[in-house]
Amino acid sequence: MTLTAATSANAQNTTETVVGVPGPEEDPFIWLEEARSEEALDWVRAENERTLAALENDPRFEELKAEALAIYDSEDRIPFATFRPDGLYNFWQDKQNPKGVLRRTTLESYRTDEPEWEVVLDIDALAAAEGKEWVYKGSTCLPPALNKCMIALSDGGEDATVMREFDTSTKSFVEDGFVIDEKSQGSVSWIDEDTLLVNRDFGEGTLTESEYPFTSRIWKRGTPLSEAEEIFRGEPTDVWAGASLLRDATGTIQARTAFRGISFHESLYYVWKDGEWLELDIPKMASPYGIVDGHLLFSTDVVWEADGQTFPADSLVAVDLEEWKADPNGAAKTLVWAPGERQTKRGGSITANALYVGLLDNVVGKVLEFNFVANENGGGQWLSREVALPDNATVGIAASSNETDQIMFTVTDFLNPTTLYYSDGSSDPEIIKTSPSYFDKAGMEVEQHEATSADGTKIPYFIVKPKGMAMDGSTATLLTGYGGFQIPRLPGYLGTTGKLWLERGGAYVLANLRGGGEFGPGWHQTAIRENKQRTWDDFIAVAEDLVERGFTSPEHLGIQGGSQGGLLVGTAFTQRPDLFGAAIVQIPLFDMLRYHLIGRGASWIGEYGDPRIPEQRAWIEGYSPYQMIAEDEDYPVPFLWASTADDRTHPAHARKGAAKLKAQGHDYYYFEDMTGGHSGGVDNEQRAKLQALQHVYLMQRLMDERDGG
């Protein structure tokens, strides 16, 4: 029997006036939205040929590609690993294994300079045997042993995957095991060795308008997936929905839960209680965080009023697990942590006995360890301590073990290679691996400045530049940012950028824009929907500040960004074409009046608004780069690139932008990676090629002398 979550009054409002969206009569390039039509692919091949002729024939191309490839294939880069009961697992790609191998080693061996690896699954061999362009997309394994896994494989790099049962003990796919051959978005969870909880595309009527699953089934071994029992169903208007399992650190299932994503940033949560789905009385921008020391933790992105208490946005809130299981909406709530000024949490991990939470404190990384300490009265308190890691760096949690207190951390900054720290929980972390230096940092320095945005808000940015460089505007400078979906952009070792750009005299700038997550939920929420222009204003303000200070000048200033960052760059060069000499528009959103109809764009209405609603269309129409392209403007010869296999940010956005630029007589470059997914490039060779193409373009536009400047 299907047990459906009750339709909620909080669901998306469907009574708004709806207007039409641009169709073929208004948009002559809609045909480019067919990702793999012969007409569209012929257009792509012609564009690629033109762009490659201009960039690959540059004498610097091969050198740049070789430098990038040497970094990607480096044998002494850190092999980041995850903890499992039978060892440390790592996925590795290099010249000999371009598609990669899943491999494992012991902790003792991992700590040496040359670990002895045992190959568990060879993706190159699998792809060759099956004649597929397999890309490994991870695995979901049954706790606590984690030896029975569902392996996700993508043909060509798209987000949609097939899944197959794999036994890491025998290093082979399970004969007559669980197999999902229909590629789809979605997920699986192990209930037990013979039962899966599956959130996938089950055919007609099981995908949302955003093309994500909204139904869940329990699949028993030996039965067809089509006959699996449906246990949860959201609504077609949800962004996504599905059931899940709430497990503690031992892998024991403590509750069966479900959610409905009613917008990209808002969800309704449910718990299976007394034979029905009970909706949790928590804010729509709060969610379960994990189980620690017998407590269930929640994270909230908004102020939460409960039990006469006020929990600040971005805080962690705990309930006693057994009390919550007995009365999910009545369990007493306790504050675990709340952010200070300009602080925000950044991911967390749970070991057998502790919670670790990454923290940004004015864009500087820290990690806090939390434990619940009981007292003799049956109560207790949450205690925290800062983990002993270097200051003034970007700090992250790399891996943790559920079975033990083992944990690893990364420490990095722009100029110093990433360092990996390890602790078994009994002492402070120690360095166990350091990434090699990929570029010569001598003579380079990092500064942090602030620009003033259009509404007076101070926007911080970092600049990496040659020491003592002339402040006459002559330095070729690359500015990047993101500013969306509460995702922070943080200092990290520049690697290929350092080698290909900084060593050749360029400067690099990272802007911390509103809409991102550098300063918590408020920093994000102040620049979404009707206020999204603030993100674009922030980026333009940083560019203006760079020019005003003399770091660079418009003819030497380039901008680069991907996905939401591609939209950022598109808005920047269409709103202020006079301010930039180059613009790399990677895998972008670009046609914002049709974005909800292209790929999985409908899932992002919570970030940008709905162009079918007149008031919201007005917000979007004012900045949508595709519509903003004008015949009489002088644009900085943009370089747009995308991926044919990208089923998240569809290549149609970049294609249509290039086609419109061409129709209006503007110069531009367009390249489409015909094998990679959303990140572009499925192996190191292709990734190196993409890096070389972009850096040749930047050098031609920003470093080379050109007629007319």
Side-chain angles (χ1 to χ4, degrees), residues 444 464-466 469 474-477 498-508 699 703:
M444 300 178 190
V464 187
K465 64 182 185 65
M469 76 179 198
S474 64
T475 301
T477 301
K499 185 66 179 176
L500 276 61
W501 184 249
L502 295 177
E503 275 196 2
R504 289 171 169 84
Y508 174 86
M699 291 173 187
M703 291 181 172

Side-chain angles (χ1 to χ4, degrees), residues 79-99:
F80 292 103
T82 57
F83 291 102
R84 294 192 191 180
D86 60 339
L88 276 72
Y89 277 68
N90 162 260
F91 183 71
W92 184 261
Q93 291 176 284
D94 58 20
K95 185 181 296 185
Q96 289 73 40
N97 308 280
K99 296 187 187 304

Side-chain angles (χ1 to χ4, degrees), residues 40 56 87 171 189 261 271 289 360 405 433 487 490 501 517 563 566 570 576 586 598 672 681:
E56 280 190 330
K171 300 186 290 187
S189 302
V271 61
Y289 197 76
L360 288 180
D405 288 321
K433 291 194 180 296
I487 296 172
L490 306 173
W501 184 249
S563 196
R576 288 295 307 276
Q586 303 170 201
I598 303 173
E672 189 165 311

Side-chain angles (χ1 to χ4, degrees), residues 23 88 134 157 287 289 296 343 461 562:
L88 276 72
W134 287 133
S287 60
Y289 197 76
L296 171 61
Q343 287 186 335
Y461 67 88

Side-chain angles (χ1 to χ4, degrees), residues 424-445:
D424 64 3
S426 65
S427 59
D428 289 341
E430 58 179 330
I431 296 173
I432 60 168
K433 291 194 180 296
T434 300
S435 176
S437 296
Y438 293 125
F439 65 94
D440 183 2
K441 68 176 183 179
M444 300 178 190
E445 64 183 357

Side-chain angles (χ1 to χ4, degrees), residues 191-507:
I191 295 176
D192 57 43
E193 190 168 348
D194 295 312
T195 316
L196 292 177
L197 176 59
V198 183
N199 304 312
R200 300 283 285 190
D201 178 2
F202 294 109
E204 186 176 355
T206 64
L207 289 182
T208 66
E209 295 171 1
S210 301
E211 299 185 6
Y212 289 99
F214 71 94
T215 68
S216 302
R217 299 186 184 188
I218 291 183
W219 187 15
K220 297 286 188 180
R221 187 180 297 279
T223 65
L225 180 57
S226 60
E227 296 178 11
E229 177 190 9
E230 183 176 298
I231 64 160
F232 184 81
R233 176 174 287 259
E235 299 287 340
T237 53
D238 295 338
V239 172
W240 43 57
S244 57
L245 303 169
L246 185 62
R247 281 188 159 99
D248 61 21
T250 70
T252 302
I253 298 171
Q254 295 292 343
R256 186 175 294 175
T257 59
F259 76 97
R260 290 178 49 215
I262 60 175
S263 78
F264 193 90
H265 303 296
E266 298 174 305
S267 295
L268 306 176
Y269 282 89
Y270 304 84
V271 61
W272 184 249
K273 177 71 174 168
D274 300 329
E276 63 181 0
W277 290 108
L278 171 68
E279 183 175 336
L280 295 182
D281 184 16
I282 65 175
K284 294 192 290 294
M285 296 182 73
S287 60
Y289 197 76
I291 296 174
V292 184
D293 291 339
H295 290 76
L296 171 61
L297 272 60
F298 293 89
S299 173
T300 179
D301 281 350
V302 292
V303 174
W304 184 358
E305 303 279 353
D307 304 336
Q309 303 176 83
T310 299
F311 301 109
D314 207 21
S315 59
L316 289 173
V317 179
V319 295
D320 180 87
L321 179 60
E322 294 305 318
E323 185 181 347
W324 178 81
K325 288 163 65 175
D327 185 3
N329 287 327
K333 299 170 181 64
T334 303
L335 179 68
V336 177
W337 177 83
E341 186 179 1
R342 295 178 82 80
Q343 287 186 335
T344 183
K345 60 185 186 301
R346 177 180 171 248
S349 288
I350 297 169
T351 64
N353 296 294
L355 165 69
Y356 291 85
V357 177
L359 181 69
L360 288 180
D361 190 345
N362 200 23
V363 202
V364 172
K366 304 178 187 298
V367 175
L368 300 180
E369 177 189 350
F370 292 87
N371 288 280
F372 183 78
V373 179
N375 58 35
E376 64 273 11
N377 299 322
Q381 61 179 325
W382 288 92
L383 299 179
S384 68
R385 71 173 186 91
E386 185 176 334
V387 178
L389 291 164
D391 295 327
N392 300 315
T394 297
V395 178
I397 301 169
S400 63
S401 169
N402 287 337
E403 297 78 27
T404 69
D405 288 321
Q406 295 179 104
I407 188 165
M408 291 192 282
F409 308 93
T410 55
V411 177
T412 187
D413 60 33
F414 288 119
L415 298 179
N416 294 296
T418 300
T419 303
L420 186 65
Y421 285 73
Y422 166 85
S423 172
D424 64 3
S426 65
S427 59
D428 289 341
E430 58 179 330
I431 296 173
I432 60 168
K433 291 194 180 296
T434 300
S435 176
S437 296
Y438 293 125
F439 65 94
D440 183 2
K441 68 176 183 179
M444 300 178 190
E445 64 183 357
V446 180
E447 296 177 356
Q448 187 177 26
H449 298 279
E450 285 185 335
T452 303
S453 195
D455 63 358
T457 302
K458 299 297 184 181
I459 307 302
Y461 67 88
F462 296 94
I463 180 167
V464 187
K465 64 182 185 65
K467 288 180 182 177
M469 76 179 198
M471 300 293 283
D472 59 1
S474 64
T475 301
T477 301
L478 178 60
L479 165 63
T480 187
Y482 190 77
F485 299 95
Q486 204 173 320
I487 296 172
R489 287 290 309 275
L490 306 173
Y493 188 58
L494 290 172
T496 53
T497 300
K499 185 66 179 176
L500 276 61
W501 184 249
L502 295 177
E503 275 196 2
R504 289 171 169 84

